């Protein structure tokens, strides 16, 4: 048994309703992004807001709080039991800090703003989204003040997505990887070792054919489609877990440049696998979920980049591509590898290559940090965005849709989320370093389609624990060290300046 202490057992039972509300909210959020009729957004907003407040009320009820206090005083607890207490204490701290009215406003605003954002992006109309973003920044600033912080109000928001993360931590990570990225980028662009574009980027595909490619890749990974998962279409690909046995992914089909939808599927597969491989004994408990966004993103990036963009994977996926996409036949494996690994400063974060991607996060990190303090106003955001893009990548967006309106996050009231992407990227390369030590024929396993070996490794090191350990502790236990940005640059240098892997 994972939970033996009677007080903790009771706590887990009494908090199951919180898990149930999370389950319902997850399903509602998935529906909002996929099949909800447009005019359902207002009522969906009210319902989600009410459920969020209810969840907060139940967590803070005297019954649960006194049980939690009692549980804290228990001795000889195992790691799972301590994990339950840690997760609930953290949720309590956040719930106590945020007034119910603010929680309700955040939830309601995001439900409405997502729908407006989608239309604004389509119409390239920043003015339409602007009042929502102003409100979202204001609500987030209020939240930061209620939550409290030592160094910077942005720290309070970062912590919501990554336990204990501070702006100063990210500045340290960026100061390590930024010079490395610039060095690699400059050399790759001047040497031409990797192309900056490929003619396949302009080739149109049939959606039917591409759906089959995506399904066959998921089948190759033994993804439990139909039994514990499904794949749908949404404006912005995402993964939503309702539980350990119901984890859903989405993708989008743009009709051109097939690697985009393919890699979004592999990316979301990585997220989904994390949830699917959590120890089933943790079902419907406070530990039944990935521990943080950074660790989550490390899993999606590991599959997308470390596995998916390797030469070994290209060899593996090539027969699938040739089977469904006629136009692929005239390209060799080496050609396809180059198409999958073009390096070019670009405007859209989700389409960015491994080398330039984190520069997009540098930009968002700076803008979010300054919006929260009021140093940047929402109405001057598009211009500052363009200037920063120019400074970092030497290019400027021609419209709002490929600039400030490209991401869904702000419309969902999420400010402080983006840095977890960089943490994830760094961590994915750290996992690569360790998996190569532990499984030296890692790349051969990919060529042999022995993905279960990789899945098992990730399950044992990371997935099965759910939220048992806080992120830093999880990484320390798995790899005997903390998050280490040097592996990211080592990987880039090895792949882009040394050997094509
Ligand atoms: Mg992701």
């Amino acid at each position: 048994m994972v939970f033996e202490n009677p007080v903790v057992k009771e706590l887990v039972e009494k908090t199951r309703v919180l898990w149930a509300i999370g389950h319902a909210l997850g399903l509602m959020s998935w529906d909002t992004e996929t099949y909800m009729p447009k005019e359902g957004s207002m009522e969906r907003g009210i319902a989600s807001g009410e459920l969020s407040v209810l969840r907060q009320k139940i967590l803070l009820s005297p019954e649960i709080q006194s049980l939690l206090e009692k549980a804290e005083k228990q001795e000889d607890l195992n790691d799972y039991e301590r994990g339950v207490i840690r997760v609930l204490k953290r949720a309590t701290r956040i719930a106590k800090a945020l007034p119910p009215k603010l929680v309700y406003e955040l939830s309601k605003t995001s439900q409405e703003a997502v729908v407006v954002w989608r239309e604004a992006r389509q119409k390239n109309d920043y003015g339409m989204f602007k009042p929502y973003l102003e409100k979202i920044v204001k609500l987030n600033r209020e939240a930061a003040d209620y939550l409290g912080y030592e160094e910077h109000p942005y720290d309070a928001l970062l912590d919501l997505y990554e336990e204990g993360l501070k702006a100063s931590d990210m500045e340290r990570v960026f100061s390590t990887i930024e010079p490395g990225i610039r060095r690699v980028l400059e050399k790759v662009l001047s040497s031409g070792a990797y192309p900056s574009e490929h003619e396949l980027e302009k080739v149109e595909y049939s959606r039917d054919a591409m759906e089959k490619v995506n399904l066959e890749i998921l089948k190759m990974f033994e993804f439990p489609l139909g039994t514990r998962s499904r794949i749908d279409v949404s404006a912005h690909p995402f993964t939503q877990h309702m539980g350990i046995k119901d984890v859903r992914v989405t993708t989008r089909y743009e009709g051109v440049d097939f690697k985009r939808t393919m890699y979004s599927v592999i990316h979301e597969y990585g997220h989904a696998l994390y949830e699917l491989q959590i120890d089933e004994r943790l079902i419907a408990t406070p530990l039944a979920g990935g521990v943080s966004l950074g660790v989550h993103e490390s899993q999606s990036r590991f599959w997308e980049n470390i596995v998916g963009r390797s030469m070994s994977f290209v060899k593996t996926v090539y027969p699938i591509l040739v089977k469904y996409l006629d136009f692929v036949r005239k390209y060799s494996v080496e050609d396809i590898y180059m198409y999958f690994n073009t390096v070019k400063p670009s405007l859209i974060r989700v389409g960015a290559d491994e080398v330039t991607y984190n520069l997009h996060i540098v930009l968002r990190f700076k803008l979010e940090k300054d919006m929260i303090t009021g140093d940047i106003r929402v109405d001057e955001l598009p211009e500052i965005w363009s200037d920063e893009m120019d400074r970092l990548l030497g290019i400027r967006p021609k419209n709002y849709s490929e600039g400030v309106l490209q991401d869904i996050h702000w419309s969902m009231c999420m400010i402080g989320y983006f840095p977890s992407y960089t943490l994830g990227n760094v961590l994915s390369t750290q996992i690569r370093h360790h998996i190569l030590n532990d499984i030296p024929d890692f790349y051969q396993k990919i060529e042999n389609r022995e993905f279960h070996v990789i899945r098992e490794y990730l399950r044992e090191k990371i997935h099965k624990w759910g939220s048992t350990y806080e992120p830093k502790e999880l990484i320390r236990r798995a790899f005997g060290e903390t998050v280490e940005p040097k592996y990211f640059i080592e990987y880039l240098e090895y792949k882009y300046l040394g050997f094509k892997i």
Side-chain angles (χ1 to χ4, degrees):
M1 282 298 289
V2 282
F3 306 117
E4 285 164 354
N5 179 286
V7 179
V8 176
K9 269 170 112 167
E10 196 185 346
L11 185 61
V12 169
E13 262 165 49
K14 291 275 162 62
T15 53
R16 190 160 294 131
V17 62
L18 299 176
W19 173 88
I21 294 171
H23 180 92
L25 283 168
L27 183 55
M28 285 158 68
S29 152
W30 172 83
D31 175 71
T32 301
E33 294 303 310
T34 51
Y35 297 111
M36 184 184 72
K38 195 174 152 194
E39 291 189 10
S41 66
M42 194 265 279
E43 286 155 305
R44 180 60 49 80
I46 296 170
S48 305
E50 291 293 341
L51 283 177
S52 301
V53 172
L54 177 63
R55 180 162 61 174
Q56 195 181 19
K57 267 188 195 153
I58 295 170
L59 174 67
L60 297 181
S61 68
E63 188 189 24
I64 286 185
Q65 286 300 312
S66 66
L67 252 179
L68 185 52
E69 274 170 39
K70 206 170 145 193
E72 268 188 276
K73 294 185 188 119
Q74 303 293 304
E75 283 169 10
D76 299 325
L77 296 179
N78 66 32
D79 288 3
Y80 298 107
E81 291 163 341
R82 279 197 296 273
V84 165
I85 294 169
R86 190 193 97 256
V87 168
L88 291 173
K89 286 266 294 176
R90 178 174 152 78
T92 296
R93 180 177 63 76
I94 292 167
K96 271 188 178 161
L98 298 177
K101 192 173 171 296
L102 180 60
V103 174
Y104 177 81
E105 276 296 309
L106 281 163
S107 170
K108 188 166 164 291
T109 304
S110 75
Q111 293 288 341
E112 294 169 9
V114 166
V115 179
V116 174
W117 163 77
R118 194 171 294 131
E119 201 179 330
R121 186 175 78 151
Q122 200 201 345
K123 293 181 174 167
N124 186 32
D125 186 348
Y126 182 63
M128 198 177 151
F129 183 60
K130 208 182 78 170
Y132 287 88
L133 186 55
E134 270 161 1
K135 188 174 178 192
I136 287 160
V137 171
K138 186 176 146 285
L139 292 173
N140 269 280
R141 174 63 210 233
E142 276 175 48
D145 287 338
Y146 281 118
L147 289 162
Y149 50 85
E150 284 169 15
E151 295 165 18
H152 197 285
Y154 190 47
D155 293 350
L157 302 177
L158 288 174
D159 174 73
L160 291 176
Y161 305 103
E162 194 71 25
E163 222 169 322
L165 184 67
K166 288 188 164 63
S168 56
D169 296 326
M170 284 317 296
E171 265 149 20
R172 217 162 40 243
V173 169
F174 286 131
S175 73
T176 306
I177 64 174
E178 245 192 79
I181 294 172
R182 286 180 180 283
R183 195 171 60 246
V184 172
L185 181 60
E186 208 174 288
K187 284 189 187 167
V188 174
L189 293 179
S190 64
S191 76
Y194 284 78
S196 63
E197 52 191 14
H198 194 283
E199 61 187 40
L200 278 170
E201 286 166 359
K202 297 209 170 61
V203 174
E204 291 179 10
Y205 59 79
S206 110
R207 178 169 157 170
D208 270 6
M210 207 48 224
E211 276 177 356
K212 289 186 181 119
V213 170
N214 286 340
L215 285 178
E216 197 141 328
I217 290 170
L218 289 175
K219 217 166 83 189
M220 179 170 72
F221 289 154
E222 294 170 276
F223 192 61
L225 273 176
T227 49
R228 291 171 66 180
S229 188
R230 50 181 291 131
I231 179 165
D232 295 271
V233 171
S234 63
H236 191 106
F238 69 95
T239 298
Q240 179 70 54
H241 71 280
M242 262 58 75
I244 295 170
K245 295 187 176 228
D246 183 354
V247 185
R248 306 177 187 187
V249 299
T250 69
T251 186
R252 64 178 166 208
Y253 294 96
E254 289 141 317
V256 66
D257 195 6
F258 75 88
K259 70 179 173 186
R260 293 209 214 179
T261 180
M262 191 190 97
Y263 280 112
S264 90
V265 168
I266 299 174
H267 178 98
E268 300 307 330
Y269 164 78
H271 280 303
L273 185 67
Y274 187 2
E275 298 294 335
L276 288 165
Q277 295 211 112
I278 292 172
D279 189 335
E280 287 185 14
R281 295 174 304 170
L282 303 179
I283 280 177
T285 74
L287 303 182
V291 70
S292 73
L293 287 177
V295 178
H296 238 296
E297 194 66 7
S298 75
Q299 298 310 295
S300 55
R301 286 307 214 179
F302 183 82
W303 285 94
E304 179 190 353
N305 288 340
I306 307 299
V307 175
R309 289 186 206 273
S310 67
M311 183 66 91
S312 303
F313 185 76
V314 178
K315 288 180 190 164
T316 299
V317 82
Y318 187 79
I320 297 175
L321 300 177
V322 166
K323 183 171 165 193
Y324 295 107
L325 306 171
D326 287 344
F327 57 81
V328 170
R329 283 182 198 150
K330 66 172 184 172
Y331 298 95
S332 66
V333 166
E334 171 85 7
D335 282 337
I336 298 296
Y337 173 80
M338 288 304 176
Y339 164 56
F340 287 167
N341 286 288
T342 52
V343 178
K344 186 189 187 179
S346 63
L347 293 165
I348 306 292
R349 176 185 61 84
V350 294
D353 56 78
E354 299 181 285
V355 181
T356 57
Y357 184 91
N358 291 293
L359 298 179
H360 292 262
I361 306 302
V362 173
L363 172 137
R364 286 156 179 76
F365 171 72
K366 284 171 71 104
L367 296 193
E368 287 191 335
K369 198 156 64 78
D370 289 350
M371 276 199 291
I372 283 301
T373 53
D375 289 332
I376 291 179
R377 291 191 323 274
V378 166
D379 62 339
E380 58 187 356
L381 200 60
E383 208 186 314
I384 298 176
W385 182 290
S386 296
D387 291 345
E388 277 296 298
M389 279 302 286
D390 204 359
R391 187 185 72 79
L392 287 161
L393 288 154
I395 43 175
R396 302 179 78 90
K398 285 191 272 317
N399 57 53
Y400 301 124
S401 304
E402 60 181 25
V404 70
L405 285 179
Q406 66 181 271
D407 298 307
I408 197 173
H409 304 63
W410 291 342
S411 75
M412 294 176 85
C413 288
M414 300 190 300
I415 294 182
Y417 188 118
F418 288 116
S420 65
Y421 289 131
T422 288
L423 270 190
N425 287 331
V426 166
L427 197 46
S428 73
T429 57
Q430 190 162 359
I431 294 168
R432 171 184 174 271
H433 171 88
H434 289 282
I435 207 169
L436 278 170
N437 275 339
D438 297 333
I439 307 174
D441 63 343
F442 166 70
Y443 285 108
Q444 192 57 48
K445 297 279 187 245
I446 297 173
E447 269 183 56
N448 298 347
R449 296 193 175 192
E450 294 175 81
F451 295 107
H452 62 278
V453 179
I454 301 167
R455 286 202 303 272
E456 275 314 300
Y457 185 87
L458 297 172
R459 182 210 294 274
E460 285 306 309
K461 293 284 185 189
I462 294 167
H463 299 168
K464 70 175 184 183
W465 300 108
S467 297
T468 303
Y469 302 112
E470 61 182 284
K472 282 174 187 156
E473 174 69 0
L474 177 69
I475 299 311
R476 197 192 59 74
R477 295 177 71 98
F479 305 118
E481 57 186 10
T482 53
V483 174
E484 183 48 73
K486 74 175 180 195
Y487 295 119
F488 182 76
I489 299 303
E490 277 179 20
Y491 166 68
L492 287 191
E493 286 178 341
Y494 189 83
K495 173 168 177 177
Y496 289 92
L497 305 181
F499 307 91
K500 295 187 174 75
I501 49 158

